[in-house]
Amino acid sequence: MQKELVRANAANAELRGCRNDRWYPRFHIAAPAGWINDPNGISHFNGRYHVFFQHYPYSSTWGPMHWGHVSSEDMVTWRREPIAFAPSTEADLDGVYSGSAFEHRGRLEVFYTGHRWFADRGEAREVQCRAVSEDGVSFEKLGVVIDAPEGIGDFRDPKVWRIGEIWHMVVAARSLENRGQVWLYTSTDLQNWTFEGVLFEDPDPNVFMLECPDFFPLGEHWVLLYGPMGTAPRGFVNRNAHNSGYVVGNWAPGQAFEPLTEYLPLDWGHNFYAPQSFEAPDGRRIVYAWMGHFERPIPPQLTDGWSGQLTVPRELTLNPDLRVRSQPIAELERLRADSTAVGTLKLEVNEERLLLADADAVEIELSLDLAATTAERVGLRVHETPDGTHTFVGYDAITHRVVLDRRLTGQGDRGHRAAPAGGGENLRLRILVDRGSIEVFVNGGEAAISSFSFPNEGPRSVTISSEAGTAAVDQLTIHTLRSIWPAE
Ligand code: FRU
């Protein structure tokens, strides 16, 4: 193994020894220790699913990027693999940045961005690089395939896919006029790439970069997914330091992309960025995203030796109204260890009921009859510890939205997020609670909210409450969830 990788794996193992697990995920992909950001190279190869991620194995802060790696037969339980890439070449000495992977002729092909930073000039140089693997675990770097265009510093995150005999690649670029663009390249041999033009430019002149572009067919249309940099908050949208969303449109090879929607969020939570999708062997479009924060340290980063996790895998489908629906892949139900059907409930005015005294990793399915509910807010206090701190997840009748409220959360950032509650009289929530995060899926994935939530010391209870009115719960089921790491 290359000496940089030996050193990185050894450092990671040493840091692992200092990890504190109070918030370490049970059913989300995370590094054994250290920092992670974007999911990379999600693929199926040699009978296993592979997920890589941006990783700094030496400490829990961002640093020269490596690619961490895990693999799985079923996307339910995972095996940790050695770190796949470390900075080692002239092109990637300051970071092996994000990219994609796919199987081709019995090998795993990887395209990533080689990052260089020249502090004296305050300039980045980013190029697209290729690597291959025979076994999916150790890789040979094949060098630069697309050089940095003259004057373009931000040029990264290649996502490659195939149509017939032609390979296509989208890359994010900051144009000479400081506009956020997605560039399209094609190739017939994966080595020589031709620039086809600008596939998309964000209409907002303040947006200067569209990180991690992903472009794929869904239903009868094409979806362009990206992380616009330079956005300002707009009501409930773009509230985060880094936001991601999508545009749905029409496209065919050789033609211009014709957007049919405005930019829409794929997730309304605090911590959802750099989503990357892949096509599973059965044709499903599945996405993972990063839950993290670039601008402010999260609590485990300060004290626990790790930072960042991925979301659960979500299957994407397209609704007739051109909204992308995302819900946990069906396989995740296999994580359920014990299930308790609480059934129907009628909560009186201001009633509270303890559901779980100590929830480590749970999934809660809650269905509300809104027509028979008069409460202003009805929902769950999760991650509630004996000192009373908690995170609230539920329905807010005043705004007719589903809220995730961290005003009284134990540790970390505060604030709330609110997603549309849909048009029906029945509201279905599926809530995945891990040790340091919460993901909420509304009405079968019409909307999702993914946020960190770091509880204080002590058992973590779950309580259902109805505020200033009654609540009619049609169905309530609680599942405890297993770990995705059988060996740990
Ligand atoms: C997005 C990003 C990518 C880049 C990577 C570096 O989170 O900034 O554009 O490739 O992270 O870690």
Side-chain angles (χ1 to χ4, degrees), residues 20-252:
N20 182 329
D21 279 354
R22 60 188 150 172
W23 299 310
Y24 190 79
R26 296 262 298 161
F27 62 93
H28 291 88
I29 293 171
W35 165 278
I36 80 164
N37 52 288
D38 318 354
N40 293 153
I42 310 174
S43 49
H44 189 260
F45 175 69
N46 271 358
R48 297 184 73 79
Y49 294 94
H50 294 265
V51 172
F52 303 83
F53 44 84
Q54 292 284 282
H55 181 33
Y56 189 58
Y58 294 94
S59 87
S60 57
T61 52
W62 190 90
M65 282 290 110
H66 295 55
W67 276 32
H69 183 196
V70 294
S71 78
S72 167
E73 248 173 41
D74 55 7
M75 281 191 283
V76 179
T77 58
W78 291 85
R79 180 166 89 197
R80 298 190 190 276
E81 303 286 1
I83 292 168
F85 294 110
S88 66
T89 70
E90 181 59 28
D92 65 25
L93 214 48
D94 298 318
V96 179
Y97 272 18
S98 285
S100 52
F102 51 89
E103 192 272 339
H104 180 53
R105 296 197 177 138
R107 305 199 301 178
L108 188 62
E109 292 274 352
V110 170
F111 289 84
Y112 70 87
T113 298
H115 174 79
R116 292 303 309 268
W117 175 248
F118 302 101
D120 48 339
R121 310 201 295 269
E123 260 174 43
R125 179 182 164 81
E126 298 188 323
V127 295
Q128 313 321 320
C129 303
R130 180 181 178 193
V132 291
S133 173
E134 302 287 338
D135 61 3
V137 178
S138 56
F139 291 82
E140 184 192 347
K141 291 182 181 175
L142 300 182
V144 178
V145 291
I146 303 179
D147 210 338
E150 188 60 34
I152 302 288
D154 288 293
F155 178 53
R156 56 181 177 269
D157 308 337
K159 178 80 195 298
V160 177
W161 77 100
R162 177 187 183 148
I163 302 178
E165 293 308 302
I166 314 279
W167 298 95
H168 293 71
M169 178 197 286
V170 281
V171 188
R174 177 177 186 155
S175 76
L176 293 173
E177 296 77 33
N178 273 325
R179 297 293 295 257
Q181 298 182 339
V182 175
W183 292 6
L184 180 67
Y185 289 81
T186 57
S187 171
T188 50
D189 62 3
L190 293 174
Q191 193 60 28
N192 299 288
W193 292 86
T194 307
F195 177 58
E196 298 288 344
V198 177
L199 181 78
F200 179 75
E201 177 179 272
D202 197 296
D204 181 346
N206 296 314
V207 169
F208 56 86
M209 186 65 179
L210 305 177
E211 287 191 319
C212 300
D214 192 354
F215 192 48
F216 51 87
L218 202 61
E220 300 295 303
H221 298 281
W222 281 74
V223 174
L224 180 65
L225 198 59
Y226 55 90
M229 299 173 82
T231 51
R234 185 161 47 84
F236 295 105
V237 179
N238 286 341
R239 303 247 32 122
N240 299 325
H242 14 279
N243 302 286
S244 64
Y246 65 92
V247 168
V248 180
N250 289 328
W251 181 76

Side-chain angles (χ1 to χ4, degrees), residues 409-455:
T409 297
Q411 306 277 319
D413 267 358
R414 311 269 162 203
H416 75 282
R417 291 289 179 269
E425 290 197 338
N426 181 271
L427 175 68
R428 284 175 297 130
L429 301 180
R430 185 167 170 199
I431 304 160
L432 301 177
V433 184
D434 207 337
R435 289 183 181 151
S437 66
I438 300 172
E439 283 151 286
V440 187
F441 296 89
V442 182
N443 293 332
E446 275 172 14
I449 312 175
S450 305
S451 296
F452 281 136
S453 165
F454 299 112

Side-chain angles (χ1 to χ4, degrees), residues 107 116 125 192 252 272 292 298 361 374 380 383 387 403 467:
R107 305 199 301 178
R116 292 303 309 268
R125 179 182 164 81
N192 299 288
F272 182 95
I298 60 170
T374 64
L380 304 169
H383 282 165
D387 62 3
V403 297
E467 297 174 17

